C-alpha cells in the first residue's frame, strides 16, 4: 500500500523540541507577557443580542483616576470592504465592526467600547461608567427565524448574493450558491431506492483551552509591536493593518506559544483595540479574555440545517444526490457553507448531483473556522443518510461506500480530478479492523462514517542556518500547535542527513521569518515542510560547492550521502567524505556561513480521507450515551511523526464526539447564551472517552517530497455521523438533530 | 474579584465573637470552609465587600469521631479525607460516594461536607445522602450548641437555617442498624466535573429474610431543596424490593419532584430520571444491606 522508502528519521517518534518547556510550565502563552508600565484593557460588551447603538459616552470612564484610554467604534478608522480569504471567510469591513461595534450591536457580547487602566479591576470599574443608549431590537436566533418572511433584518444592505437578478428586498440570506453536475431529475428517476432526511447541527465552540490574549505597544513613531496567541501572525499583521489603517511594515507581530486554536485563532478580536489604546495612552496594553468572553464573543462554528436526498440502484450504486443546506454565519456574512457544500459528496462517484447552499446571518457571534470548516456539519448529514440507505438496501455500510468510493482519476464533486487518494484503503482497513466485528451487547450499537477535507497549500518560507559545528537551525513562520516543530526538524534532519537531536526550530516573528500563511488548512507539515526540505536542499547544494572548492574539483563531481559530501562515483579522487560539521567549520574560508532558504506557494495538497468506527452504549432509561469504542482510520500520505498524527486523529475524534453528544450553545428567548463556561458547555472530559484506536494509512501524496498530505482537519469530520449512526444502531431510531443529548434521546425513545 | 477582610481564628469562641460583632453592627460576614463555592461566587457573582471568616483552624470543626452510637463529622474536613476513611465508607457507602462525586480530586482536596450543605444548592450531592442517613446538624452560637435535623436545615435555594452569629460545627449521624445500607446516584451528561441534573439517595434496613423494614428516600436537583419522598418509602417497606415495589418508588419520586427546565435538562426529563435513579439507588442500597454490595 505505501511506497517503501528507506527513511532514517521520518516516521520515528522523538520528543518534540518544545516539549520540555511546555510540560514544565516555562513556555510563554498569550497572557504570559508583560511590559513595564503596562495597562490592562477590558471590553464593554453589548447586553443585548440585537440593538441600535444611539449614543456612547466615554467621559466618566476617562475621568476615573488610573484610566488612560477609552475607545468605541467612532475611534477606529473606516475600513473598506474587501475579502479576507483563508479558511475563515468574511470581509475586513465586517471584521472591523466585529472587533468594535459601529452603530449596531449584533449579538449579546458584541464589543461596544474598551478601557485601558492601571489594573484590570480598575478597568472593569471604569466599564460601569460608560454610558450607552441602546434601541433594543428583536433578536434573530436561528435559521428558521432568519429565513422566515418578514424576519427582522440584521443589516438592510444585505441582498442575497448569487441570485440572478439581484433580489428586490434585503434579507438575512447573505449568499446562495449552487453546485451541480449531470441531470438530477434523471438520476432520481433512475434510482430504485430513494432516501431523504433532514439534519440539524447546533452552534458549537472550538473549545481551545487558552483564551484570546495579547500585549501591544506602540511607539511615538507609530510602530507597533504585538504579542498574541494566534495561528498565523502574518495574517494578524494584515488584519491589524486593514482595521487600523496602518502600513504592514509598522506592525511587528510575535506569535506566542498557543494553547489551542482549531481555526478559532485565525481571526482577531482584541489586537487592534490594544494597539489603538496603546497609541492613545503611550503605554503597553494587555488584553486577555475570560472564558465567558471567549464563549460570548469568539468562535463559534455554524449551526446548520441540511435537507438531503439520495438515490441508488439496488446494488448500491448512487444515481443521484441532492442537498439543500443553510449555515448560520453569525452576525456578519461568511459562514463555511461553501466548503461544506464542496465536501458533502466528495467521497463518492456521482454523475448527478445538486447542492444548494445558503449563508445566513443571525444574532450570534460571527462564526470562525473550526477544523475542516463546514465539512463536519454537511458530511454528518450525508453520512447519516448513507447509513439509512445501507439499512434500506440491507447492505453493509462499508460495502455501500466501497461501491461508490472515489479513486484516482475520478472527478471530485467539487471540481478537480483526484490524484492518489486513500479512501478505499481506509474503508478496507475499517472492514478488516477487529473493532468492526466484535460482539456488542443489546444496548450497544456501531456506526461508521467517512470523513474528507481538501487540505490547503498556500505560501510558506523557511531558512536553514548551519551553525559552526554543523548543527542546524530552522527558521519558519508557523505557530506550533500540534507538534510542527518536531515535524520540521525531522524533515530537515532526513534531508540533510544529520541527527534529529542536532536540529533546532524557531518559529520566527513577522520580522524574522519570511512570509508564511496560517497554521491552518492542514497545510503546515505539507507546505512549510516542503519549504524546509527545499531550504535544506539549498544547504546541500551549497555544501557540495564548498566541498568542490576544498577538493578543487567541479561541483557536479560532488555527491551528498548521509550528511556528507563525497566525490561522485567514478571521480578519480580519494578524498575523505566531508561532514556538514567539517564543511561548516571551514565555511569562513570557503565563502562564509551556510544559509539555505526557500519560499513557495505550495501546490498539490493531497486531500485527506478518513473512516471512523464508533461503538456506543445507550442507557434505555436515561438516554445517556457512552462511547465504548472509537477507531479513527485516516490517510496521512506519509506520517512524518506518527505519534503527532495519532494525536491529531484522537483529538479530532474527541471534538467530534463532543459535538455529536453534548456540545451546544443554549440561548434564552432574548438571545443570551446560558452556558458560557465549560461547566455547562460540555466538551468531553477524559473519563467520558474510551481509548481512541488509530490506524494511519499511507498513500503518498506525489506532490510532496516525502508524500505528506495534511492530517489536522479531516479527523473531526467523520465522528459526528459515526456516533450518530452508532446511536441509530443501538436504539433503532434516527434522531436527525445534534447533539444527541440524554433528554433528546430519551424523548425520542419514549415516543 | 473585589477586596475583602480575612480572619482565621483558632478558637471557636473567637470565631463566634467575630460573627456576633458583625451581626450586631450589620456588617457583612461569610464563613469560609474549602472555598470551592465561596470563591467562585466572590469572583463571578457577587464581589461586594465583606469579611471572610475562615473556620478551618478551629479544632472542633475538623474532628471525626465514632464514639457511642453516633458518628460526628466536623464541618471543615475535606471531602478527600472523608472519602479515604474506611470506617466511614463501610457505614455509609452512599454518603461517601456522594462525597466522592464532588468535582474532581483537586476540588475534593478543598471542598467540605459542611460547605456542600451550608451552600444549600438544590443540586448539592451530599444533601440527599445526609437526609437518608438521618443526619443532625450541630450548630454553634454564643449561647452554646443547638441541634437540628438536616432536612430542616436547608430551607431554599442557597439558604440554610443558620441565624446571624451561628456556624455549622459538624454533623451527627446515627450509626446504621444491622442490615442497613445506603446508596446515592446522580445523573450528569458526562462522567465527572458536572452538576447533578437529578439525584437520588436511598437507605434501607432489612430483616433476616431480606424484607425491607425501614427506608428513607430523598431526591435532589428536582426542587428548590432536597426532598424526602415518604411515598417512595411506603412503596419499599414491606417488600423485598421486587420490580413492582421499585417501580412504585420510582413513580413516587417522579411525582414528588417539581423540577424546572434549564440548560441542564428539561422538566420532563428530570422528572423521569429522578425515578430511574431512585430505582437504581434502592437496588444498590438493598444489595449492600444484604451484604452483597
Ligand atoms: C469545579 C467544581 C466542581 C464542583 N462539583 C460539585 C459537584 O459535583 N457536586 C456538588 O455538590 N458540588 C460541587 N461543587 C461545589 C462545591 O465544591 C461543593 O459544594 C463543596 O462541598 C463546598 O464546600 P466548601 O468547603 O468548598 O464550601 P465553601 O465555598 O467554603 O462554602 C460554601 C458556603 O457555605 C458556607 N459555609 C461553609 N462552611 C460553613 C460552616 N461550617 N458554617 C456556616 N457556613 C458555612 C459559606 O459561607 C458559603 O456560603 C463544585 C465546585 C467546583 C469549583
Amino acid at each position: 500500500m505505501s511506497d517503501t522508502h528507506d527513511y532514517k528519521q521520518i516516521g520515528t517518534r522523538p520528543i518534540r523540541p518544545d516539549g520540555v518547556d511546555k510540560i514544565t510550565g516555562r513556555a510563554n502563552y498569550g497572557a504570559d507577557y508583560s511590559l513595564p508600565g503596562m495597562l490592562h484593557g477590558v471590553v464593554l460588551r453589548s447586553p443585548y443580542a440585537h440593538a441600535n447603538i444611539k449614543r456612547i459616552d466615554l467621559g466618566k470612564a476617562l475621568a476615573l483616576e488610573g484610566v488612560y484610554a477609552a475607545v468605541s467604534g467612532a475611534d477606529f478608522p473606516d475600513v473598506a470592504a474587501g475579502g479576507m480569504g483563508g479558511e475563515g471567510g468574511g470581509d475586513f469591513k465586517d471584521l472591523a465592526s466585529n472587533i468594535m461595534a459601529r452603530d449596531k450591536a449584533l449579538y449579546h457580547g458584541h464589543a461596544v467600547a474598551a478601557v485601558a487602566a492601571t489594573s484590570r479591576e480598575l478597568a472593569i470599574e471604569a466599564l460601569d461608567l460608560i454610558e450607552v443608549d441602546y434601541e433594543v431590537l428583536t433578536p434573530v436566533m436561528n435559521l428558521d427565524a432568519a429565513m422566515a418572511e418578514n424576519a427582522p433584518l440584521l443589516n438592510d444592505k444585505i441582498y442575497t448574493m448569487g441570485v440572478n437578478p439581484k433580489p428586490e428586498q434585503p434579507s438575512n440570506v447573505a449568499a446562495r450558491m449552487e453546485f451541480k453536475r449531470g441531470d438530477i431529475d434523471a438520476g432520481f428517476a433512475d434510482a430504485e431506492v430513494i432516501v431523504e432526511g433532514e439534519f440539524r447541527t447546533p452552534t458549537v465552540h472550538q473549545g481551545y483551552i487558552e483564551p484570546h490574549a495579547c500585549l501591544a505597544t506602540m511607539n511615538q513613531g507609530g510602530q507597533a509591536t504585538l504579542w498574541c496567541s494566534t495561528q498565523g501572525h502574518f495574517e494578524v499583521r494584515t488584519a491589524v493593518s486593514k482595521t487600523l489603517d496602518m502600513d504592514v511594515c509598522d506592525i511587528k507581530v510575535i506569535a506566542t506559544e498557543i494553547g489551542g486554536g482549531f481555526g478559532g485563532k485565525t481571526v482577531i478580536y482584541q489586537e487592534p483595540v490594544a494597539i489603538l489604546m496603546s497609541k492613545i495612552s503611550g503605554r503597553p496594553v494587555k488584553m486577555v479574555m475570560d472564558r465567558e468572553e471567549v464563549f460570548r464573543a469568539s468562535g463559534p462554528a455554524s449551526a446548520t440545517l441540511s435537507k438531503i436526498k439520495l438515490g441508488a440502484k439496488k446494488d448500491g450504486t448512487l444515481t443521484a444526490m441532492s442537498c439543500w443546506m443553510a449555515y448560520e454565519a453569525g452576525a456578519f456574512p461568511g459562514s463555511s457553507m461553501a466548503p461544506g457544500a464542496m465536501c458533502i459528496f466528495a467521497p463518492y462517484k456521482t454523475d448527478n448531483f445538486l447542492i444548494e447552499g445558503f449563508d445566513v446571518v443571525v444574532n450570534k457571534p460571527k462564526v470562525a473556522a473550526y477544523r475542516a470548516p463546514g465539512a463536519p456539519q454537511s458530511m454528518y448529514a450525508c453520512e447519516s443518510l448513507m447509513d439509512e440507505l445501507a439499512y434500506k438496501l440491507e447492505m453493509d455500510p462499508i460495502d455501500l461506500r466501497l461501491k461508490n468510493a472515489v479513486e484516482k482519476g475520478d472527478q471530485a464533486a467539487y471540481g478537480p480530478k483526484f490524484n492518489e487518494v486513500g479512501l478505499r484503503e481506509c474503508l478496507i482497513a475499517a472492514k478488516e479492523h477487529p473493532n468492526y466485528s466484535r460482539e456488542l451487547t443489546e444496548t450497544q450499537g456501531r456506526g461508521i462514517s467517512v470523513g474528507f477535507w481538501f487540505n490547503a497549500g498556500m505560501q510558506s518560507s523557511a531558512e536553514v542556518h548551519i551553525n559552526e559545528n554543523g548543527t542546524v537551525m530552522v527558521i519558519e513562520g508557523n505557530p506550533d500547535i500540534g507538534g510542527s516543530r518536531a515535524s520540521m526538524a525531522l524533515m530537515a534532519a532526513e534531508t540533510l542527513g544529520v541527527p534529529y537531536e542536532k536540529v533546532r526550530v524557531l518559529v520566527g516573528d513577522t520580522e524574522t521569518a519570511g512570509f508564511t500563511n496560517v497554521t491552518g488548512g492542514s497545510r503546515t507539515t505539507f507546505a512549510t515542510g516542503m519549504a524546509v526540505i527545499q531550504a535544506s536542499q539549498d544547504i546541500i547544494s551549497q555544501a557540495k560547492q564548498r566541498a568542490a572548492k576544498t577538493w578543487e574539483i567541479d561541483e557536479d563531481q560532488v555527491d551528498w550521502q548521509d550528511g556528507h559530501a563525497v566525490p561522485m562515483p567514478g571521480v578519480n579522487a580519494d578524498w575523505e567524505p566531508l561532514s556538514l560539521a567539517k564543511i561548516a567549520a571551514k565555511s569562513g574560508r570557503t565563502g562564509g556561513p551556510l544559509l539555505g532558504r526557500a519560499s513557495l506557494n505550495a501546490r498539490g495538497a493531497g486531500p485527506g480521507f478518513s473512516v471512523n468506527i464508533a461503538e456506543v452504549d445507550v442507557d434505555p432509561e436515561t438516554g445517556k450515551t457512552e462511547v465504548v469504542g472509537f477507531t479513527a482510520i485516516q490517510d496521512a500520505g506519509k506520517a512524518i511523526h506518527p505519534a503527532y498524527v495519532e494525536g491529531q486523529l484522537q483529538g479530532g475524534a474527541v471534538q467530534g464526539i463532543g459535538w455529536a453528544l453534548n456540545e451546544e450553545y443554549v440561548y434564552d428567548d432574548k438571545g443570551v447564551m446560558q452556558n458560557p463556561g465549560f461547566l455547562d458547555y460540555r466538551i468531553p472530559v477524559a473519563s467520558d472517552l474510551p481509548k481512541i484506536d488509530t490506524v494511519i494509512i499511507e498513500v503518498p501524496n506525489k506532490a510532496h517530497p516525502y508524500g505528506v498530505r495534511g492530517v489536522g482537519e479531516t479527523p473531526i469530520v467523520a465522528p459526528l455521523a459515526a456516533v450518530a449512526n452508532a446511536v441509530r444502531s443501538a436504539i433503532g431510531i434516527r434522531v436527525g438533530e445534534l447533539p444527541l443529548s440524554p433528554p433528546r434521546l430519551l424523548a425520542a425513545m419514549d415516543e | 474579584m473585589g477586596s475583602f477582610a480575612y480572619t482565621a481564628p483558632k478558637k471557636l469562641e473567637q470565631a463566634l465573637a467575630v460573627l456576633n460583632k458583625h451581626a450586631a453592627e450589620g456588617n457583612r460576614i461569610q464563613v469560609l470552609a474549602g472555598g470551592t463555592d465561596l470563591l467562585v461566587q466572590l469572583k463571578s457573582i457577587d464581589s461586594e465587600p465583606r469579611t471572610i471568616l475562615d473556620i478551618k483552624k478551629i479544632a472542633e470543626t475538623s474532628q471525626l469521631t465514632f464514639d457511642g452510637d453516633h458518628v460526628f463529622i466536623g464541618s471543615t474536613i475535606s471531602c478527600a479525607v472523608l472519602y479515604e476513611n474506611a470506617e466511614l465508607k463501610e457505614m455509609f457507602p452512599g454518603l461517601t460516594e456522594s462525597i466522592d462525586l464532588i468535582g474532581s480530586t483537586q476540588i475534593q482536596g478543598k471542598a467540605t461536607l459542611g460547605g456542600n450543605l451550608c451552600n444549600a444548592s438544590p443540586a448539592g450531592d451530599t444533601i440527599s445522602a445526609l437526609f437518608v442517613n438521618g443526619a443532625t446538624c450541630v450548630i454553634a452560637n454564643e449561647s452554646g450548641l443547638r441541634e437540628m435535623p438536616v432536612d430542616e436545615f436547608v430551607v431554599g435555594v442557597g439558604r440554610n437555617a443558620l441565624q446571624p452569629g451561628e456556624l455549622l460545627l459538624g454533623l451527627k449521624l446515627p450509626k446504621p442498624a444491622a442490615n442497613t445500607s445506603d446508596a446515592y446516584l446522580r445523573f450528569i451528561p458526562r462522567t465527572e466535573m458536572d452538576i447533578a441534573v437529578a439525584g437520588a439517595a436511598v437507605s434501607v434496613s432489612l430483616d433476616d429474610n431480606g424484607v425491607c423494614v425501614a427506608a428513607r428516600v430523598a431526591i435532589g436537583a428536582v426542587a428548590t431543596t432536597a426532598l424526602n419522598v415518604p411515598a417512595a418509602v411506603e412503596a419499599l417497606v414491606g417488600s423485598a424490593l421486587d420490580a413492582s415495589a421499585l417501580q412504585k418508588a420510582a413513580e413516587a419520586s417522579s411525582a414528588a419532584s417539581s423540577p424546572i427546565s434549564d440548560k441542564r435538562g428539561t422538566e420532563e426529563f428530570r422528572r423521569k430520571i429522578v425515578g430511574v435513579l431512585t430505582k437504581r439507588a434502592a437496588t444498590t442500597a438493598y444489595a449492600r444491606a444484604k451484604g452483597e454490595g
Side-chain angles (χ1 to χ4, degrees):
Chain A
M1 191 184 317
S2 86
D3 288 12
T4 40
H5 275 291
D6 196 12
Y7 294 126
K8 293 211 164 63
Q9 314 209 49
I10 281 176
T12 63
R13 300 165 178 249
I15 60 162
R16 56 203 281 174
D18 48 319
V20 173
D21 275 355
K22 281 183 176 163
I23 62 160
T24 56
R26 276 189 172 80
N28 289 315
Y29 292 84
D32 290 330
Y33 290 85
S34 294
L35 284 172
M38 180 178 85
L39 304 174
H40 297 263
V42 292
V43 171
L44 180 69
R45 298 185 179 279
S46 170
Y48 305 108
H50 195 187
N52 286 320
I53 300 170
K54 306 301 253 184
R55 182 185 72 99
I56 300 184
D57 189 340
L58 304 169
K60 288 188 183 139
L62 275 167
L64 190 70
E65 169 104 34
V67 171
Y68 285 81
V71 295
S72 68
D75 298 293
F76 288 80
D78 281 335
V79 174
M84 298 202 284
E87 280 198 332
D91 178 282
F92 283 117
K93 189 175 173 60
D94 290 340
L95 175 71
S97 303
N98 192 36
I99 288 167
M100 196 57 73
R102 302 299 151 115
D103 29 52
K104 227 181 163 187
L106 288 167
Y107 51 94
H108 178 263
H110 196 166
V112 296
V115 167
T118 46
S119 74
R120 190 175 164 88
E121 287 69 27
L122 191 66
I124 290 169
E125 207 182 314
L127 290 186
D128 281 344
L129 302 174
I130 298 175
E131 292 168 11
V132 188
D133 292 346
Y134 295 98
E135 179 194 357
V136 181
L137 305 168
T138 309
V140 180
M141 295 310 296
N142 55 52
L143 290 165
D144 300 319
M147 296 178 89
E149 255 182 72
N150 300 322
L153 295 181
L154 271 77
N155 179 345
D156 60 15
K157 296 200 176 53
I158 291 180
Y159 289 81
T160 311
M161 296 209 313
V163 177
N164 246 328
K166 182 180 167 183
E168 280 168 19
Q169 299 295 326
S171 74
N172 293 316
V173 180
R176 176 188 180 277
M177 283 175 109
E178 192 178 286
F179 301 87
K180 62 180 169 190
R181 183 193 298 161
D183 183 338
I184 191 73
D185 295 332
F188 279 118
D190 208 20
E192 291 167 325
V193 181
I194 290 179
V195 286
E196 282 182 81
E198 249 189 59
F199 299 91
R200 284 178 192 268
T201 66
T203 304
V204 297
H205 198 270
Q206 291 81 348
Y208 32 84
I209 299 302
E210 182 201 18
H212 297 270
C214 69
L215 167 63
T217 182
M218 185 186 257
N219 68 16
Q220 286 85 341
Q223 292 154 329
T225 305
L226 176 69
W227 289 259
C228 64
S229 174
T230 176
Q231 291 175 239
H233 37 306
F234 290 90
E235 275 89 350
V236 169
R237 186 177 66 173
T238 309
V240 166
S241 95
K242 297 279 184 189
T243 50
L244 289 180
D245 197 15
M246 290 172 67
D247 194 323
V248 291
C249 70
D250 286 331
I251 308 160
K252 172 179 182 172
V253 186
I254 300 148
T256 67
E257 293 299 340
I258 173 170
F262 310 111
K265 288 182 186 158
T266 58
V267 280
I268 58 169
Y269 298 98
Q270 311 173 110
E271 288 78 0
V273 184
I275 292 176
L276 181 61
M277 293 201 293
S278 175
K279 180 180 179 177
I280 293 168
S281 64
R283 298 205 193 191
V285 175
K286 178 171 178 166
M287 297 183 77
V288 181
M289 283 194 195
D290 64 21
R291 179 69 55 199
E292 193 175 327
E293 292 179 285
V294 170
F295 275 110
R296 295 203 190 284
S298 80
S302 299
T304 64
L305 168 60
S306 304
K307 301 174 193 174
I308 174 166
K309 186 172 164 187
L310 303 176
K313 292 287 194 192
K314 287 215 172 91
D315 70 353
T317 308
L318 291 163
T319 60
M321 310 179 89
S322 75
C323 187
W324 178 103
M325 54 170 82
Y327 277 55
E328 287 182 6
F332 300 94
S335 68
S336 48
M337 174 270 289
M342 289 160 76
C343 286
I344 181 167
F345 299 142
Y348 304 115
K349 300 177 197 256
T350 42
D351 290 330
N352 307 300
F353 68 84
L354 172 66
I355 304 161
E356 196 184 3
F358 299 89
D359 181 42
V360 184
V361 294
V362 294
N363 290 116
K364 295 182 182 176
K366 166 72 173 76
V367 300
Y370 183 15
R371 270 182 120 158
Q377 297 99 317
S378 66
M379 293 190 76
Y380 153 68
C382 182
E383 291 299 301
S384 297
L385 202 59
M386 283 294 281
D387 204 49
E388 288 304 317
L389 183 60
Y391 280 108
K392 209 156 176 183
L393 293 168
E394 293 178 4
M395 220 174 146
D396 175 274
I398 295 183
D399 289 344
L400 173 62
R401 284 155 173 100
L402 273 169
K403 182 103 204 156
N404 296 286
V406 290
E407 53 202 334
K408 184 177 175 178
D410 285 330
Q411 188 108 41
Y414 62 93
K417 276 209 164 92
F418 284 114
N419 286 321
E420 290 76 11
V421 286
L423 175 55
R424 302 191 80 82
E425 287 80 353
C426 289
L427 286 164
I428 291 163
K431 196 150 186 208
E432 288 168 353
H433 201 285
N435 293 358
Y436 191 61
S437 49
R438 64 182 165 193
E439 281 289 310
L440 297 176
T441 68
E442 197 151 300
T443 53
Q444 293 181 343
R446 177 181 293 119
I448 70 122
S449 172
V450 167
F452 168 80
W453 183 247
F454 321 91
N455 296 328
M458 307 203 281
Q459 301 178 78
S460 286
S461 312
E463 281 183 20
V464 174
H465 298 200
I466 306 301
N467 300 324
E468 69 263 34
N469 64 351
T471 56
V472 180
M473 186 73 222
V474 176
I475 301 176
E476 45 103 2
N478 276 118
D480 181 354
I481 312 185
S484 57
R485 286 185 184 91
S487 297
M488 298 305 149
L490 278 169
M491 286 184 274
E494 182 78 44
T495 309
L496 293 167
V498 301
Y500 170 84
E501 293 71 27
K502 300 295 175 195
V503 183
R504 296 289 178 272
V505 182
L506 171 73
V507 178
D509 59 49
T510 52
E511 293 184 350
T512 315
F515 183 89
T516 298
N517 281 121
V518 281
T519 301
S522 304
R523 62 176 295 279
T524 305
T525 310
F526 169 70
T528 304
M530 197 139 63
V532 168
I533 294 164
Q534 288 182 12
S536 302
Q537 286 162 345
D538 187 14
I539 290 290
I540 291 172
S541 72
Q542 293 178 35
K544 289 195 311 197
Q545 283 170 14
R546 307 299 176 92
K549 217 176 211 173
T550 309
W551 292 333
E552 296 175 337
I553 56 178
D554 284 345
E555 253 174 77
D556 56 10
Q557 291 178 311
V558 182
D559 197 5
W560 188 261
Q561 279 172 15
D562 276 346
H564 293 77
V566 293
M568 276 286 190
V571 174
N572 191 11
D574 49 2
W575 299 103
E576 283 289 303
L578 277 177
S579 67
L580 197 54
K582 283 195 177 135
I583 295 169
K586 296 221 173 88
S587 63
R589 271 184 265 153
T590 56
L594 295 177
L595 193 162
R597 58 180 149 219
S599 68
L600 48 81
N601 188 355
R603 304 281 174 197
F609 280 101
S610 70
V611 175
N612 287 182
I613 309 167
E615 293 153 281
V616 303
D617 197 332
V618 183
D619 185 331
E621 289 186 312
T622 65
K624 181 169 170 172
T625 300
E626 185 191 347
V627 180
V628 293
F630 200 94
T631 314
I633 301 162
Q634 189 175 318
D635 174 18
K638 174 70 200 169
I640 300 297
H641 191 301
Y644 299 152
V645 172
E646 288 161 4
Q648 292 294 326
L649 269 52
Q650 291 171 323
V654 171
Q655 289 182 308
I657 289 169
W659 201 335
L661 290 181
N662 279 311
E663 293 182 38
E664 65 179 321
Y665 276 40
V666 180
Y667 283 96
D668 72 5
D669 57 0
K670 294 197 170 65
V672 180
M673 187 192 182
Q674 297 298 293
N675 55 338
F678 283 135
L679 181 56
D680 291 302
Y681 181 87
R682 297 192 178 88
I683 64 174
V685 297
S687 54
D688 292 339
L689 300 159
K691 172 169 188 303
I692 300 198
D693 295 317
T694 55
V695 179
I696 300 174
I697 302 291
E698 295 186 323
V699 176
N701 170 18
K702 298 235 158 86
H704 184 278
Y706 296 129
V708 167
R709 55 182 89 230
V711 297
E713 291 170 291
T714 300
I716 201 176
V717 181
L720 281 65
V723 171
N725 293 342
V727 168
R728 158 74 170 86
S729 119
I731 68 172
I733 309 168
R734 171 70 59 185
V735 179
E737 182 168 6
L738 300 182
L740 299 171
S741 60
R744 179 166 285 144
L745 284 190
L746 191 62
M749 287 191 286
D750 284 352
E751 239 171 45
Chain B
M1 186 151 73
S3 58
F4 53 84
Y6 173 85
T7 173
K10 291 207 176 74
K11 294 262 179 276
L12 182 59
E13 312 83 77
Q14 294 168 332
L16 294 171
V18 174
L19 277 175
N20 264 307
K21 185 161 179 291
H22 279 74
E25 291 168 0
N27 288 326
R28 192 166 178 210
I29 184 158
Q30 262 184 312
V31 169
L32 172 80
T36 58
D37 278 314
L38 190 57
L39 287 175
V40 177
Q41 292 158 7
L42 208 65
K43 213 174 156 183
S44 56
I45 300 170
D46 168 14
S47 61
E48 292 301 310
R50 74 199 70 180
T51 297
I52 299 279
L53 174 67
D54 185 344
I55 59 166
K56 285 193 293 294
K57 299 209 162 104
I58 300 167
E60 291 91 327
T61 65
S62 45
Q63 273 169 7
L64 177 62
T65 59
F66 293 86
D67 306 334
D69 51 7
H70 279 85
V71 177
F72 178 83
I73 306 175
S75 62
T76 66
I77 303 172
S78 78
C79 290
V81 168
L82 293 178
Y83 182 71
E84 301 231 323
N85 189 293
E87 215 171 335
L88 200 67
K89 204 184 274 184
E90 174 72 30
M91 282 184 199
F92 310 107
L95 175 63
T96 42
E97 71 202 355
S98 78
I99 288 169
D100 185 42
L101 285 175
I102 292 181
S104 59
T105 304
Q106 293 94 322
I107 295 293
Q108 286 166 27
K110 281 274 156 200
T112 68
L113 186 59
N116 195 242
L117 178 61
C118 290
N119 192 57
S121 155
D125 280 307
T126 66
I127 302 177
S128 36
L130 288 168
F131 273 34
V132 301
N133 283 298
T136 301
C137 299
V138 181
I139 297 166
N141 57 36
E142 280 207 311
S143 32
L145 300 181
R146 66 177 180 119
E147 296 191 354
M148 177 189 275
V150 69
D151 48 11
E152 290 170 26
F153 185 78
V154 280
V155 294
V157 179
R159 289 193 300 124
N160 61 45
L162 291 174
Q163 298 299 311
E166 292 189 324
L167 59 80
L168 179 70
L169 202 66
L171 287 144
K172 239 168 80 178
L173 279 74
K175 287 185 181 164
N179 304 330
T180 297
S181 197
D182 68 338
Y184 173 76
L185 280 177
R186 71 171 181 185
F187 182 84
I188 55 171
R190 288 187 292 206
T191 46
E192 59 182 323
M193 296 306 286
D194 219 323
I195 289 179
V197 174
V202 177
S203 153
V204 292
S205 301
L206 311 180
D207 68 13
D208 291 340
N209 300 319
V211 173
C212 175
V213 292
R216 279 199 176 101
V217 176
I219 53 180
V222 287
T224 51
T225 64
L227 295 175
N228 286 308
V229 190
V233 173
E234 246 168 67
L236 298 178
V237 173
S239 82
L241 271 63
D242 52 279
S244 109
L246 288 170
Q247 191 51 34
K248 274 188 209 143
E251 284 163 15
S253 280
S254 295
S257 68
S258 54
I260 53 163
S261 287
D262 68 4
K263 60 196 169 192
R264 302 204 174 110
T266 59
E267 180 189 333
E268 187 198 356
F269 178 71
R270 287 185 147 127
R271 208 182 279 284
K272 276 186 203 157
I273 292 297
V274 79
V276 174
L277 295 173
T278 301
K279 195 165 72 179
R280 291 180 180 179
T283 306
T284 304
Y286 184 75
R288 284 175 179 163
K290 281 179 89 171
E292 294 163 1

